[in-house]
Amino acid sequence: MKTVVPTGNSRSLIHRLRALAVLLGLALAATTLPAGTASAATVAQSDRGQLVSARQVSTLATKQDVAAALAAVGFDTGTVRFGVDAYQLVYRTVDPEGRPTTASGLLVLPRSREHELRTVSFAHGTASYRYDAPSSMTKVGFVSAPAITYASAGFAAVAPDYLGLGAGPGPHPWMDVPSETTASLDMLRATLAFVPRTGRALGHGVLVTGFSQGASAAMALARTLQAGGDRWFRLEAVAPISGAYDFQHAELPALLDGSLDPKSSVLYTAYLLVAWNRLHHLYDSPGEVFQAPYDSTIAALFDGSHTGQQLLTGTPNTLSALLTSHGLDILRHPTGPLAAALRVTDSTCDWSPRVPVRLYYARADEQAANANTDHCEAALQSRGVNTPVVNLGSPDYEGSRHLGSNVAGTAAIVRWFSQLH
């Protein structure tokens, strides 16, 4: 989620609009394929993760350059040790039906003398505009700063764009559990293929993290790695930030009852219905769930070519102005394909990690209801896993605690990962 709660003054409103225009983020993912889809594992396994192209997108030659770039976007600079080189990788993967496609991602390497590097996989919050993806950034910004942070601390930092963002074709299948997982895993494989070209190598271990949408994507990737989803990579630790791990029972009710930022609720609910109708056929006509005039415009807004600012101006400020009574009803009482998809989305904490795990959150998050973290902790505890939950307090980033949790969480996690061996 990438919105900001309004505070009643014009400066906060400007900050909220700026943040919304850059990114929307929400945490969703898992590792099981919905019934009826082709198994990704059966589709040209040898082709998945195959590198299609690689290009260097930026260099911050010294640690001073990195520190200046991170400070400019409000990220902590205390762990910066090296300059970095950043690359966009395009690689082969599979779509939600298990058919071959391509995706892209950002790889950032430290300018250190270490030959074998430890890997951090960072999953970003949801983007609506394809060029807001990590690998499309021409300079350090909110979405790429975590990867820069981890690489400058000495890690090989991998940040998948997901499907349909960056250089990947088609619309982004937002909140689609299988493709978030396969795109993340295959980005690791593409990185393994590319890194030797730089004279470096990757070790087996992967430290997994992610923010907002990427929090659940991180949990899903971690579960897949622990289950032996790849012959090279092994899970070492997982540390998600501000996820919506229980979308049906924690996040969706908070979006609908006004507990969260109203404009965020409009945008995420619209994105959910549009993206999941493409995947799961929730309605025959937009007019069934969206009120006029939005029923004729809303789907196009989420085609990947519209900016966050266009989404802001093209949507109402309240759910009551966006949704029909039927649209509200199906979200309040999910059945059929919607209920089935939610079960997949909400399964990311339903496993037993055998590695260190920490859950990070901000108090009174205005976009990811805190109940999500509570539910994830409870799910892990029910499987015998006592997970430390780290309260980041009330970090502020342009008026948003949610965005602030990404900044504060990244600073905390890079230090924790650096202590693990």
Side-chain angles (χ1 to χ4, degrees):
M1 301 180 249
K2 299 284 179 287
T3 63
V4 192
V5 66
T7 64
N9 60 65
S10 59
R11 183 176 181 183
S12 293
L13 178 60
I14 291 170
H15 285 163
R16 185 180 77 169
L17 294 176
R18 182 185 303 154
L20 277 167
V22 173
L23 277 178
L24 312 170
L26 194 59
L28 305 143
T31 56
T32 11
L33 289 163
T37 61
S39 169
T42 66
V43 178
Q45 180 69 30
S46 61
D47 290 338
R48 286 185 47 198
Q50 185 179 93
L51 192 64
V52 174
S53 65
R55 65 184 182 93
Q56 189 162 351
V57 292
S58 66
T59 293
L60 296 168
T62 68
K63 65 179 183 179
Q64 290 81 10
D65 294 334
V66 173
L70 289 176
V73 292
F75 275 72
D76 182 78
T77 63
T79 58
V80 175
R81 297 169 53 212
F82 308 105
V84 300
D85 295 303
Y87 305 86
Q88 182 189 67
L89 306 186
V90 178
Y91 58 95
R92 301 190 189 281
T93 187
V94 289
D95 72 6
E97 282 72 45
R99 298 171 302 202
T101 188
T102 59
S104 58
L106 178 69
L107 167 65
V108 190
L109 298 177
R111 305 191 112 199
S112 65
R113 295 183 178 180
E114 292 292 326
H115 173 68
E116 183 175 290
L117 300 173
R118 300 172 72 200
T119 303
V120 170
S121 177
F122 174 80
H124 67 86
T126 301
S128 58
Y129 180 51
R130 67 168 55 252
Y131 299 112
D132 285 338
S135 78
S136 295
M137 296 295 177
T138 56
K139 61 181 181 179
V140 178
F142 184 86
V143 72
S144 58
I148 301 294
T149 298
Y150 290 112
S152 67
F155 298 98
V158 179
D161 292 337
Y162 311 136
L163 296 183
L165 298 172
H172 172 50
W174 189 56
M175 295 166 47
D176 179 59
V177 169
S179 67
E180 286 178 359
T181 307
T182 52
S184 297
L185 181 60
D186 293 342
M187 176 62 186
L188 285 172
R189 292 166 171 164
T191 299
L192 183 65
F194 173 75
V195 164
R197 301 184 187 182
T198 70
R200 319 292 278 280
L202 296 184
H204 293 285
V206 182
L207 302 148
V208 178
T209 182
F211 164 66
S212 200
Q213 176 193 355
S216 289
M219 290 295 282
L221 174 63
R223 181 168 65 179
T224 296
L225 289 172
Q226 180 171 286
D230 185 81
R231 287 178 293 181
W232 180 264
F233 293 108
R234 299 292 180 269
L235 180 66
E236 284 193 347
V238 57
I241 309 166
S242 301
Y245 312 102
D246 191 352
F247 202 75
Q248 180 172 356
H249 303 105
E251 186 66 17
L252 192 53
L255 291 172
L256 296 175
D257 70 11
S259 299
L260 303 179
D261 176 54
K263 189 67 174 185
S264 303
S265 299
V266 167
L267 293 169
Y268 305 146
T269 303
Y271 207 173
L272 173 74
L273 289 169
V274 170
W276 280 23
N277 191 57
R278 293 175 182 142
L279 293 171
H280 310 298
H281 190 70
L282 305 182
Y283 51 84
D284 293 323
S285 168
E288 295 175 31
V289 295
F290 297 112
Q291 293 192 49
Y294 309 108
D295 58 336
S296 61
T297 60
I298 201 75
L301 286 175
F302 292 99
D303 63 359
S305 67
H306 289 76
T307 65
Q309 184 60 47
Q310 289 174 309
L311 287 180
L312 285 173
T313 58
T315 53
N317 293 324
T318 64
L319 282 175
S320 61
L322 174 72
L323 299 178
T324 64
S325 58
H326 177 65
L328 285 167
D329 186 62
I330 65 172
L331 293 173
R332 287 175 177 147
H333 309 287
T335 60
L338 177 58
L342 285 167
R343 284 193 293 272
V344 174
T345 294
D346 294 342
S347 70
T348 59
C349 298
D350 296 343
W351 59 297
S352 301
R354 297 189 297 271
V355 299
V357 182
R358 290 183 179 180
L359 304 177
Y360 292 77
Y361 77 101
R363 186 166 49 246
D365 190 314
E366 82 282 1
Q367 299 174 48
N370 289 159
N372 284 289
T373 299
D374 296 337
H375 292 191
C376 185
E377 179 189 16
L380 293 169
Q381 285 182 341
S382 72
R383 289 161 177 79
V385 180
N386 292 317
T387 304
V389 178
V390 180
N391 184 342
L392 296 167
S394 304
D396 178 85
Y397 188 89
E398 297 194 341
S400 169
R401 291 185 180 187
H402 185 66
L403 296 179
S405 71
N406 189 28
V407 178
T410 297
I413 293 167
V414 69
R415 288 172 170 84
W416 183 49
F417 281 174
S418 297
Q419 296 168 1
L420 297 175
H421 297 286

